[in-house]
Amino acid sequence: MADSINYVKGKGEGLRTLGFCTIRLSKHDEALPLLNEAEKIFVLLGDEAGRSDILEYYGIINRGKGDYANSLDNLYKSLELRQQENYEEGISLAFYHLGVTYRYMGNLEQALDLFLKNLTYAQRIANWVSESYTLNNIGSIYFELDDYRNALKYFQQSLIIRKKAGDKWGEAGCLDNIGLTYFKIKEHEKATEYCLQGLEISKEINDKKGEGNCLFHLGEIYKEVKDYNKTVRYCKESLEIRRQTSDRKGEAEILLFLAELSLLENYYREYPMNPFDLLDIALKSGEEIRSVDLLSKIHRGFYKVAKHFDRHQEALEHIEQNIALEREMHSASMQQKILNLEIEHSIEFSKKETEIYRLRNIELAGLYDETNKQKEEIDIQKQKIEKAFAELKEAQTQLIQSEKMASLGELTAGIAHEIQNPLNFVNNFSDINKELLEEMKEEMDKGNLADAKEIANDILENEGKINHHGKRADAIVKGMLQHSQRSSGKKESTDINALCDEYVRLAYHGLRAKDKTFNSVFKTDFDPSIVKVNIIPRDIGRVLLNLYNNAFYAVNEKKKQQPEGYEPFVFVSTRKNTGKVEIKVSDNGNGIPQKILDKIFQPFFTTKPTGQGTGLGLSLSYDIVKAHNGEIKVETIEGEATVFTITLSIL
């Protein structure tokens, strides 16, 4: 109608609203051309509020595709326009959608901060839509943190608002969330009741996405109570809906769920769906939509199923893909890109605020005395900050020194244990020689020169052993003194295999000296073709000692948790690879949780209990390796293993 009467503004609004409705039906590819055309109209009309809505919808579409960097980019742009236009309802929704994107990224702290900020804002401007959806998402964050009591509280608050407003779509979503929460706390009857209510409303309003979600959650509930007939029925119904709505990600999630059912005892015999066929289809969908997090989950599922059916080569291939994708998701470049976007938009907004304050200060120029007072207060605050900063630097220096002393202490404990053996030999052979000299004297008094010569030969042989072990002890002491000296920074041609071997033994014996109950198998596999490497031996030794200590600590902690059937194992290897040498330190400990993997090289970050670590070991190791123009990286399977790899140039 707008087009027929040449009503340009009306056409833009029609396209915008139609695009939004298409997004709600999860038809993102159909929504984009509608929104693009609407954006052109709003730009032509100079309608910044309308354009901000389009940018918000772009942010929603990017988020749905897993492109979180562009989602944040569009949402921050939308927020900036809305703040310029004083578009209050839009500002509230921008805060809300930014929070949702951060929640999808796993940054729950930032998401919760935005949601709580928006909750106050939405209540102030009496915007029930933004308020109810924000309450629902706060509940979702508590749900993801396993705080189900608070999750229920916020879901129920949102449900009250949505019922009062007649928002059937939102009501169905809340009922489904409440049902899923009861499922998590194993109140299966209530879980089923709420999910069925959500399903009924979703069918009533033809909300296919909500209907598919409720059906899938009912399938999860019935799996838990071992009613596999209903599990399969509800999952197949959900799968059909997700295929109808072209929800490729949702389709792949259900296929993965059905495939993993084959791992249950007796299930595969009763419901002989081929799990590998299901996983192949899921994998194809994941690759087509390029969803990294989904692909990671599918490869992990493939690994578990292949391992269950003794297809070990496939299992190995898929777990390697899973690890690679997990690393990609948590890559530093992605985090930096997101950080840069935040900084960019913050700077632009700050520039505008600065100009406002400049004009305001011109108007307040007459308040000279007040300004001087403020300046004095600022100077006082500055002095306090400088003092606090100086104290912080001093504390940091002490912590770094503490880490170095801890490293030296661990090395010294290992050396003390190592030096004990040659000293025992020296003492034992000295005692024997004393006895032999007494015997030789007696034989000489008797005139038995032949026997005396034979005893003399034994004494000479023992003296040779004393000399050998004395030199060995001397070498160990010199090594300790070299480690304790300040690094000269000069590189030396070093036998890297010998260095790796020396420090792993010192680390092991050091831990044994501190904890007599500690025991672990450790093996080495050194590449004999490696020539000497140009490094600072004490510095690289410190890196190796830190990695070895961490590995032995990890297997020791796991042994305490699993005393039966678990064998602690640490493996050290070297390999030459195109002008470089790789040093790998592997352990079969508990691995590193994915949520902290990108933090382990940060200064002062530690997973050890208070008092057992400063959190500087890996940070210092990272700096030392980088100073050698090398690289240190980590691969891990949570609960199973960790591998640290150091790469150094041979030249």
Side-chain angles (χ1 to χ4, degrees), residues 252-372:
E253 286 173 343
I254 295 178
L255 290 169
L256 175 59
F257 177 79
L258 287 170
E260 289 187 339
L261 290 175
S262 65
L263 302 175
L264 299 173
E265 188 178 357
N266 297 327
Y267 175 86
Y268 186 65
R269 188 167 61 248
E270 295 176 25
Y271 303 90
M273 292 182 289
N274 189 319
F276 293 97
D277 290 343
L278 299 174
L279 288 165
D280 281 332
I281 300 169
L283 187 58
K284 185 178 178 183
S285 293
E287 288 170 344
E288 286 178 0
I289 63 176
R290 302 185 63 80
S291 173
V292 177
D293 60 332
L294 177 62
L295 280 171
S296 176
K297 291 175 186 175
I298 294 168
H299 281 296
R300 183 72 180 179
F302 236 128
Y303 158 72
K304 291 192 285 188
V305 172
K307 184 179 176 183
H308 180 76
F309 288 100
D310 296 327
R311 291 164 64 161
H312 299 298
Q313 184 59 37
E314 283 183 70
L316 179 61
E317 291 169 1
H318 286 289
I319 196 61
E320 287 175 348
Q321 288 287 331
N322 168 253
I323 290 171
L325 289 164
E326 287 287 321
R327 188 165 58 245
E328 181 182 340
M329 281 193 294
H330 296 90
S331 69
S333 60
M334 180 65 169
Q335 295 297 327
Q336 190 60 46
K337 185 176 181 182
I338 292 166
L339 180 62
N340 289 344
L341 284 167
E342 293 179 83
I343 292 169
E344 178 186 331
H345 290 293
S346 296
I347 288 171
E348 287 301 315
F349 184 66
S350 295
K351 284 179 182 177
K352 294 177 175 62
E353 284 195 320
T354 301
E355 180 61 14
I356 292 168
Y357 289 136
R358 188 185 69 80
L359 295 171
R360 187 178 296 166
N361 285 338
I362 292 172
E363 296 173 2
L364 300 175
L367 302 176
Y368 182 76
D369 292 340
E370 184 65 27
T371 304
N372 279 340

Side-chain angles (χ1 to χ4, degrees), residues 152-168:
L152 279 173
K153 181 179 75 173
Y154 281 99
F155 287 147
Q156 286 161 348
Q157 287 179 28
S158 179
L159 179 62
I160 291 168
I161 295 172
R162 288 170 167 182
K163 276 186 173 180
K164 185 178 179 181
D167 176 13
K168 290 289 187 181

Side-chain angles (χ1 to χ4, degrees), residues 343-485:
I343 292 169
E344 178 186 331
H345 290 293
S346 296
I347 288 171
E348 287 301 315
F349 184 66
S350 295
K351 284 179 182 177
K352 294 177 175 62
E353 284 195 320
T354 301
E355 180 61 14
I356 292 168
Y357 289 136
R358 188 185 69 80
L359 295 171
R360 187 178 296 166
N361 285 338
I362 292 172
E363 296 173 2
L364 300 175
L367 302 176
Y368 182 76
D369 292 340
E370 184 65 27
T371 304
N372 279 340
K373 288 180 182 178
Q374 290 178 3
K375 184 177 179 299
E376 288 173 7
E377 290 178 5
I378 289 169
D379 288 339
I380 292 169
Q381 292 300 319
K382 181 184 175 184
Q383 290 172 9
K384 288 182 179 179
I385 290 168
E386 288 174 347
K387 182 182 177 184
F389 182 68
E391 291 173 353
L392 180 62
K393 285 189 71 175
E394 184 181 350
Q396 183 177 348
T397 303
Q398 290 174 354
L399 279 170
I400 291 171
Q401 184 61 28
S402 173
E403 176 68 23
K404 290 180 178 177
M405 292 305 295
S407 172
L408 181 59
E410 289 164 351
L411 182 65
T412 305
I415 290 169
H417 190 280
E418 189 80 351
I419 206 172
Q420 192 63 49
N421 287 331
L423 285 177
N424 285 340
F425 277 112
V426 170
N427 290 334
N428 291 339
F429 283 118
S430 295
D431 291 341
I432 292 169
N433 278 0
K434 185 178 179 181
E435 294 175 6
L436 289 173
L437 285 168
E438 291 291 338
E439 290 179 21
M440 185 174 71
K441 184 179 177 182
E442 291 176 6
E443 295 300 327
M444 289 176 68
D445 288 341
K446 295 176 183 176
N448 297 332
L449 294 179
D451 289 342
K453 285 182 180 180
E454 188 176 339
I455 293 171
N457 288 333
D458 289 340
I459 292 170
L460 286 171
E461 186 179 339
N462 288 347
E463 284 297 319
K465 291 176 181 178
I466 289 170
N467 182 262
H468 168 75
H469 289 290
K471 287 180 178 178
R472 184 179 165 207
D474 180 62
I476 293 169
V477 172
K478 284 179 180 176
M480 179 187 72
L481 292 172
Q482 285 177 347
H483 185 273
S484 64
Q485 291 170 358

